[in-house]
Amino acid sequence: MSTPGRDLPSGGAGTGIRLHAPAPGWSVDADVVVVGSGVAGLTAALRCAAAGRRTVVVTKARLDDGSTRWAQGGIAAALGEGDTPEQHLDDTLVAGAGLCDEAAVRLLVTEGPDAVRRLIATGAVFDTSAETGEIELTREGGHHRRRIAHAGGDATGAEISRALVEAVQAAGIRTVENALVLDLLQDARGRTAGVTLHVMGEGQHDGVGAVHAPAVILATGGMGQVFSATTNPSVSTGDGVALALRAGAEVSDLEFVQFHPTVLFLGPDAEGQQPLVSEAVRGEGAHLVDADGVRFMLGQHELAELAPRDIVAKGIMRRMQEQGAQHMYLDARHFGAEMWEHRFPTILAACRAHGIDPVTEPIPVAPAAHYASGGVRTDLHGRTTVPGLYACGEVACTGVHGANRLASNSLLEGLVFAERIADDITAQARSGNGPGIPVPATGPLQPAGARYEIQRIMTNGAGVLRSAESLRTAAEALEGLYATALNDLEAHGKTAEPGVDTWEATNLLCVARVLVAAAQRRVETRGCHWREDHPERDDAGWRRHLVVRLSATEKRALVVVPTDSADFPSVHVPLSTQSLEQ
């Protein structure tokens, strides 16, 4: 496997950058702290706790308020007759556009079916056939077989979240809700020693505190709120990626943001979380049409509307450009009322809440930011380049998704890699790292209002359509925000008032700068990264990954280094497992 370039030292030393925040006023001791309460976080927590590890779950909202709850389509696994992990692997590699780590994908598709069965044993109830009693499998974009298990028609995420939350509560696992994680605690040798966090609201804990633990699992979800329109909940502000970067970890492939092609269009000025119209609707036979009723995806790909998401999103954007339109339409009137009410009750209710009845009229749709294929770089056990720090789910870059995630692989990735992380932690002897070393805050906080400016910059310059000019404009605007705040701090000792809004804005700026820097470097179109000025895929020059870290010098500059091949770069943890146990 390739390694990052010579100019990119191994992570783990930390950057010395921390968010401005009050000193912790309370603390909790644990063996493992899990940050996030989606499928990845709760699966890891349950497995760690079952192995006897003192486990604490920290989550930004309520336990059931993460991105998992919003997943409509389902979870992909080779569970059906005639389907095989090898076929699932082939579809995943095609969607990933040459940048998947085949070893990671093979692990996903081979361990996936049993992981789904264990999820069912935990209490998740999937839809079954009335005739056979077997799990009812559907098909989505990029899949050549029906292999998507779903629940409640289009409420799969809600059912998985329900089952896991109930299991966590039944196991008596300690949870801290409404808590925004701030920074990683590290000991004198750079090893993980826990996290600092801020609890929003009164309760058992309030304000800034700390959870001390030698193992931290980041399962914080995505960063969709970096764009004006997204399917992600409001809590998805890239907190995990930003924390990892400040701790000295490496991130990879952050330029590959998947824009879901069919998001309910609420108007040109709509901001924040938008209702998703699941790919499963197209899987059941809905057609994409323009205002004249023309099926414009025919002839663009062999799978037409069921092509991988990047191809469908680009097809929609091209048609919108050609016709000067703000959206296209998804036509599923032929389903009839009974199918809509039985198979897609959640989507039907969302559409009707916004004055659209898909039983009698086409649904206006447009692409919106949906999923980060890249993230904190990990190995096949979820280990990052910072010893003791793990990542899984959307916050991680395992190599599974490559340049574009295959539909419904995300819940499966969360399951499989969460189990592998828990097994890696519990295979080690219990360790008691030294206390975290307080590090003075040296990075400026962004004012709360910067959030909306960052979203505007990113939507205009780094959305579905990108070019050298749009990315240059975005990079300059983002650097301007950072430079202004840094100058105020260094020259005048001033920074924005610490608080949830300013911490989130600062995290959003961090991930936005990384995304744009990587997108500028990738001078080609690949997967969900589409450069208008370089519309072709360049395997000779760019079938490789971009690895990014924060520099502790040079005014906190970004260091962006391409790998020397398409192989997913190996993760080098400076301190061995043995040293962690001593």
Side-chain angles (χ1 to χ4, degrees):
M1 300 184 69
S2 67
T3 54
R6 290 181 300 174
D7 295 330
L8 186 57
S10 298
T15 63
I17 306 170
R18 293 292 183 272
L19 293 174
H20 285 262
W26 55 270
S27 66
V28 173
D29 291 328
D31 297 319
V32 183
V33 56
V34 179
V35 186
S37 60
V39 62
L42 296 188
T43 298
L46 284 166
R47 203 167 177 97
C48 286
R53 293 295 197 266
R54 294 176 303 159
T55 303
V56 173
V57 175
V58 172
T59 189
K60 196 172 179 182
R62 304 290 293 178
L63 272 182
D64 63 351
D65 251 358
S67 293
T68 292
R69 181 166 70 91
W70 299 97
Q72 295 174 345
I75 184 166
L79 296 166
E81 184 177 354
D83 196 6
T84 64
E86 199 69 26
Q87 294 176 68
H88 190 182
L89 180 141
D90 289 343
D91 286 345
T92 301
L93 295 180
V94 169
L99 284 186
C100 293
D101 176 32
E102 187 168 339
V105 178
R106 191 170 296 280
L107 184 155
L108 177 84
V109 300
T110 55
E111 296 187 7
D114 282 344
V116 173
R117 295 183 184 102
R118 284 189 288 273
L119 178 62
I120 293 170
T122 301
V125 179
F126 290 95
D127 295 344
T128 56
S129 167
E131 290 78 23
T132 67
E134 297 295 321
I135 293 177
E136 198 169 44
L137 300 174
T138 60
R139 186 177 166 201
E140 294 182 5
H143 294 271
H144 283 80
R145 284 192 173 272
R146 286 181 170 262
R147 64 168 66 98
I148 316 300
H150 55 86
D154 59 357
T156 309
E159 170 58 19
I160 291 173
S161 181
R162 178 205 63 77
L164 291 174
V165 167
E166 288 184 4
V168 164
Q169 292 171 337
I173 295 173
R174 187 168 189 171
T175 60
V176 182
E177 295 180 302
N178 301 309
L180 170 63
V181 67
L182 299 175
D183 280 301
L184 191 73
L185 289 169
Q186 293 170 273
D187 67 13
R189 290 187 284 176
R191 300 178 302 184
T192 294
V195 293
T196 56
L197 63 157
H198 173 79
V199 179
M200 299 168 271
E202 297 180 1
Q204 183 179 2
H205 305 296
D206 189 22
V208 175
V211 180
H212 299 288
V216 170
I217 303 173
L218 293 179
T220 52
M223 56 182 194
Q225 291 290 328
V226 78
F227 294 96
S228 296
T230 178
T231 62
N232 290 189
S234 60
V235 295
S236 298
T237 52
D239 307 320
V241 171
L243 174 149
L245 281 164
R246 288 192 296 269
E250 297 170 356
V251 303
S252 187
D253 300 348
L254 219 60
E255 68 271 32
F256 296 117
V257 176
Q258 186 179 86
F259 289 80
H260 198 288
T262 53
V263 175
L264 183 62
F265 181 75
L266 300 181
D269 299 323
E271 294 182 340
Q273 186 178 11
Q274 315 284 303
L276 175 67
V277 181
S278 170
E279 195 149 347
V281 178
R282 282 174 282 135
E284 295 292 351
H287 301 144
L288 280 166
V289 298
D290 60 19
D292 298 321
V294 176
R295 286 183 64 189
F296 55 88
M297 284 305 298
L298 292 175
Q300 293 199 35
H301 190 276
E302 62 170 347
L303 296 176
E305 286 95 348
L306 283 175
R309 287 176 178 174
D310 62 303
I311 294 171
V312 179
K314 291 169 188 175
I316 292 173
M317 293 300 296
R318 286 193 187 104
R319 197 66 161 189
M320 287 165 56
Q321 285 184 323
E322 291 169 3
Q323 299 188 342
Q326 294 180 327
H327 61 82
M328 290 288 108
Y329 294 93
L330 188 64
D331 191 352
R333 290 174 290 179
H334 55 286
F335 285 4
E338 184 178 350
M339 180 174 175
W340 267 110
E341 291 165 2
H342 171 72
R343 179 69 178 86
F344 301 112
T346 306
I347 298 170
L348 179 64
C351 288
R352 285 177 170 171
H354 291 282
I356 298 152
D357 188 350
V359 176
T360 60
E361 61 186 316
I363 306 167
V365 293
H370 182 57
Y371 192 87
S373 294
V376 184
R377 203 161 68 80
T378 74
D379 66 7
L380 298 183
H381 298 280
R383 295 177 292 217
T384 75
T385 51
V386 175
L389 178 65
Y390 297 79
C392 62
E394 190 172 355
V395 70
C397 183
T398 62
V400 159
H401 304 306
N404 189 31
R405 174 178 68 96
L406 180 65
S408 289
N409 267 358
S410 52
L411 292 174
L412 190 70
E413 183 197 31
L415 270 182
V416 169
F417 283 88
E419 290 185 346
R420 292 182 70 81
I421 287 172
D423 291 348
D424 189 71
I425 290 172
T426 57
Q428 301 175 25
R430 292 177 185 269
S431 59
N433 285 3
I437 305 301
V439 176
T442 55
L445 290 178
Q446 291 293 311
R451 178 182 186 133
Y452 306 103
E453 180 67 9
I454 293 164
Q455 291 172 336
R456 182 191 64 79
I457 292 167
M458 293 298 290
T459 297
N460 292 338
V464 178
L465 308 179
R466 301 169 181 176
S467 67
E469 179 60 24
S470 75
L471 291 167
R472 182 191 62 79
T473 301
E476 290 179 354
L478 294 173
E479 292 307 314
L481 291 176
Y482 185 76
T484 296
L486 184 63
N487 182 67
D488 285 346
L489 177 64
E490 295 185 342
H492 310 294
K494 297 179 180 178
T495 192
E497 187 70 23
V500 173
D501 291 343
T502 58
W503 290 322
E504 286 186 332
T506 302
N507 287 338
L508 284 171
L509 180 60
C510 177
V511 297
R513 291 174 67 216
V514 174
L515 193 162
V516 170
Q520 283 184 293
R521 288 291 295 272
R522 185 169 291 281
V523 188
E524 64 158 356
T525 288
R526 181 183 299 272
C528 50
H529 171 72
W530 186 15
R531 285 283 295 263
E532 293 181 281
D533 49 346
H534 294 278
E536 302 301 323
R537 177 168 147 177
D538 177 10
D539 279 347
W542 281 106
R543 191 162 175 249
R544 59 191 65 212
H545 302 269
L546 288 168
V547 180
V548 185
R549 65 174 175 84
L550 279 181
S551 171
T553 59
E554 302 176 14
K555 300 292 184 184
R556 317 306 177 216
L558 298 174
V559 180
V560 185
V561 177
T563 59
D564 54 18
S565 80
D567 292 338
F568 197 63
S570 57
V571 172
H572 172 64
V573 181
L575 298 172
S576 68
T577 300
Q578 181 179 7
S579 68
L580 285 174
E581 296 170 359
Q582 294 175 344

